[in-house]
Amino acid sequence: MSDSPYRLAVVVASTREGRFGPTVAGWFAEQTAQRTDIDVDVIDLADHPLPVNLSSDPGPEAAALLAEVSPRLAEADAFVVITPEYNHSYPASVKNLIDWHYTQWQAKPVGFISYGGLSGGLRAVEHLRPVFAELHAVTIRETISFHSPWGKFDDNGRHLDEEAGTAAAGAAKVMLDQLTWWALALREARAARPYGN
């Protein structure tokens, strides 16, 4: 099992008009494409608006929206959340996704890529860590952050500054190496002993 690629769900958190998230997702896609140990599934929350009224018994319309996302989270062995920083925290869209789910996150690793002004979105990441801890997920120490990234990437998500692009790619490798270790270790552990049993 440890030799087969693990499934990585990449969550693009921002749904704001004119958002920068897809550019960052394009850049990250180039990083993951260089690896043979990862099977990537991109979940763009702008394409999957979930109901804001949480329910333990969602109606048909809400259930249909959840059916497009929930199985993909359940099948994932690991997650990367690409998030901006809004008002010193993360967007409501990602909190809504998190709150609609529970077991899908358990005993799985979560990595973060953030972007924003001077802080590079790092405050959003630090707010997300305790949320995922409450859901029994393991957050990865290494992160990737882009500080004031607007105008620094081309339309395909390639960094225009070669030196900065090399540094970002190096950070992505370190984070993905950590994420891979946890993804494989926890996948094997869940197979040997289902979490919570």
Side-chain angles (χ1 to χ4, degrees):
M1 176 184 286
S2 62
D3 293 335
S4 63
Y6 69 92
R7 190 167 181 84
L8 173 62
V10 177
V11 176
V12 182
S14 177
T15 61
R16 179 179 283 184
E17 183 179 352
R19 65 205 175 112
F20 192 70
T23 300
V24 178
W27 172 84
F28 189 56
E30 282 198 358
Q31 312 311 307
T32 57
Q34 299 173 35
R35 303 182 66 120
T36 59
D37 53 353
I38 304 173
D39 179 17
V40 176
D41 177 23
V42 177
I43 302 173
D44 189 335
L45 297 186
D47 297 332
H48 299 286
L50 297 179
V52 294
N53 296 325
L54 298 176
S55 171
S56 59
D57 185 25
E61 186 175 327
L65 293 171
L66 288 163
E68 296 180 9
V69 175
S70 301
R72 294 162 69 183
L73 297 178
E75 292 168 4
D77 296 304
F79 306 96
V80 165
V81 177
I82 299 176
T83 184
E85 182 178 311
Y86 293 168
N87 301 318
H88 285 211
S89 195
Y90 53 86
S93 53
V94 75
K95 185 63 162 68
N96 195 36
L97 173 76
I98 291 168
D99 289 348
W100 268 111
H101 301 92
Y102 183 63
T103 57
Q104 293 87 348
W105 308 114
Q106 289 183 336
K108 297 177 183 178
V110 183
F112 301 102
I113 301 175
S114 63
Y115 58 95
L118 291 176
S119 74
L122 291 173
R123 289 174 291 212
V125 170
E126 292 312 308
H127 286 184
L128 279 166
R129 288 187 189 281
V131 175
F132 278 110
E134 180 65 17
L135 296 166
H136 303 259
V138 178
T139 59
I140 302 305
R141 180 189 180 278
E142 299 298 328
T143 62
I144 303 163
S145 62
F146 293 106
H147 304 257
S148 301
W150 304 278
K152 296 179 180 176
F153 291 80
D154 67 18
D155 293 338
N156 298 314
R158 291 190 184 90
H159 213 295
L160 297 175
D161 182 325
E162 185 175 344
E163 184 177 346
T166 299
K173 182 184 183 312
V174 171
M175 187 192 77
L176 284 169
D177 286 347
Q178 281 190 6
L179 192 69
T180 297
W181 189 94
W182 281 102
L184 297 177
L186 291 175
R187 182 173 72 180
E188 290 178 7
R190 291 193 312 273
R193 179 179 298 180
Y195 187 79
N197 294 340

